[in-house]
């Protein structure tokens, strides 16, 4: 008979209830700080300012819609939806603590949603400033134009979603097969 020995992977420790709130708050503060810096130091339609030459440039732009300017002109309803989703995720994580990886991943997604909701509710548009020439060269090679200019909140949502997908596949691989 095959005996399965439990490991730390099988029973991941739950994250403390405060972790998602603190992580989301730090990411939201970073997002809002960079947006404030961009508004104070960059000009819309100005040439790109290299930050890490060839990798990241600063380019100020605004988006009244969602990713890739979908639903342009819908900033207020999108902001309200983002805010409700972000807060809903954080409330869920506070009430029902999850394994650490899931808590971190969902906190990133919540922070991104709330960070962009703040812009939408306050300004009626989302401030974007990070341009990646490398990502643009990939999308241009695929005949898809330039890669969109983005912000920290966008990065949190995308990276959090990617981590969530990867973790879901890794979780399936770890289950013992008898």
């Amino acid at each position: 008979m095959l005996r399965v020995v439990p490991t730390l992977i099988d029973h991941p420790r739950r994250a403390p209830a405060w972790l998602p709130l603190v992580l989301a708050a730090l990411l939201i503060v970073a997002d809002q700080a960079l947006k404030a810096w961009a508004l104070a130091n960059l000009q819309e339609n100005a040439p790109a300012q290299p930050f890490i030459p060839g990798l990241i440039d600063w380019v100020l732009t605004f988006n009244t819609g969602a990713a890739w300017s979908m639903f342009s002109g819908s900033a207020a309803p999108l902001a309200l939806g983002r805010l409700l989703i972000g807060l809903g995720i954080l409330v869920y994580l506070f009430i029902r603590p999850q394994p650490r990886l899931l808590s971190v991943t969902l906190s990133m997604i919540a922070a991104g949603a709330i960070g962009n909701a703040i812009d939408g509710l306050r300004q009626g548009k989302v401030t974007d400033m990070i341009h990646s020439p490398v990502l643009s060269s990939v999308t241009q090679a695929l005949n898809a134009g330039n890669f969109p200019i983005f912000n920290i909140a966008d990065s949190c949502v995308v990276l959090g979603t990617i981590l969530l997908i990867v973790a879901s596949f890794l979780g399936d691989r770890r289950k013992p097969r008898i």
Side-chain angles (χ1 to χ4, degrees):
M1 173 178 259
L2 178 64
R3 182 172 178 233
V4 178
V5 178
T7 66
L8 290 175
I9 296 172
D10 296 328
H11 300 288
R13 292 182 52 200
R14 301 277 181 224
W18 54 264
L19 177 67
L21 302 176
V22 170
L23 179 58
L26 290 172
L27 291 170
I28 292 166
V29 167
D31 175 65
Q32 292 299 303
L34 183 56
K35 288 173 179 175
W37 175 86
L39 290 170
N41 293 288
L42 302 174
Q43 292 183 355
E44 191 173 16
N45 300 319
Q49 294 181 12
F51 176 62
I52 301 173
L55 293 176
I56 296 176
D57 297 332
W58 299 127
V59 178
L60 181 65
T61 189
F62 301 97
N63 187 350
T64 61
W68 284 274
S69 297
M70 291 187 301
F71 311 112
S72 286
S74 303
L78 286 170
L80 184 58
R82 288 175 178 134
L83 184 63
L84 292 174
I85 289 168
L87 292 175
I89 290 170
L90 292 177
V91 167
Y92 170 77
L93 290 172
F94 187 77
I95 293 171
R96 300 197 62 188
Q98 298 297 310
R100 288 182 184 178
L101 179 59
L102 183 58
S103 288
V104 167
T105 300
L106 291 177
S107 297
M108 290 173 66
I109 294 169
I114 294 168
N116 280 340
I118 291 169
D119 278 19
L121 293 171
R122 192 176 61 207
Q123 303 175 155
K125 56 190 175 186
V126 174
T127 303
D128 293 320
M129 77 297 298
I130 303 169
H131 171 255
S132 173
V134 172
L135 293 175
S136 282
S137 65
V138 171
T139 55
Q140 288 170 358
L142 298 170
N143 292 322
N146 285 324
F147 192 83
I149 297 167
F150 55 98
N151 57 45
I152 291 174
D154 298 333
S155 299
C156 287
V157 171
V158 171
L159 293 174
T161 302
I162 290 169
L163 280 172
L164 189 60
I165 292 167
V166 169
S168 71
F169 285 118
L170 292 177
D172 289 344
R173 296 171 98 200
R174 291 182 185 147
K175 291 180 183 172
R177 298 175 194 219
I178 301 175

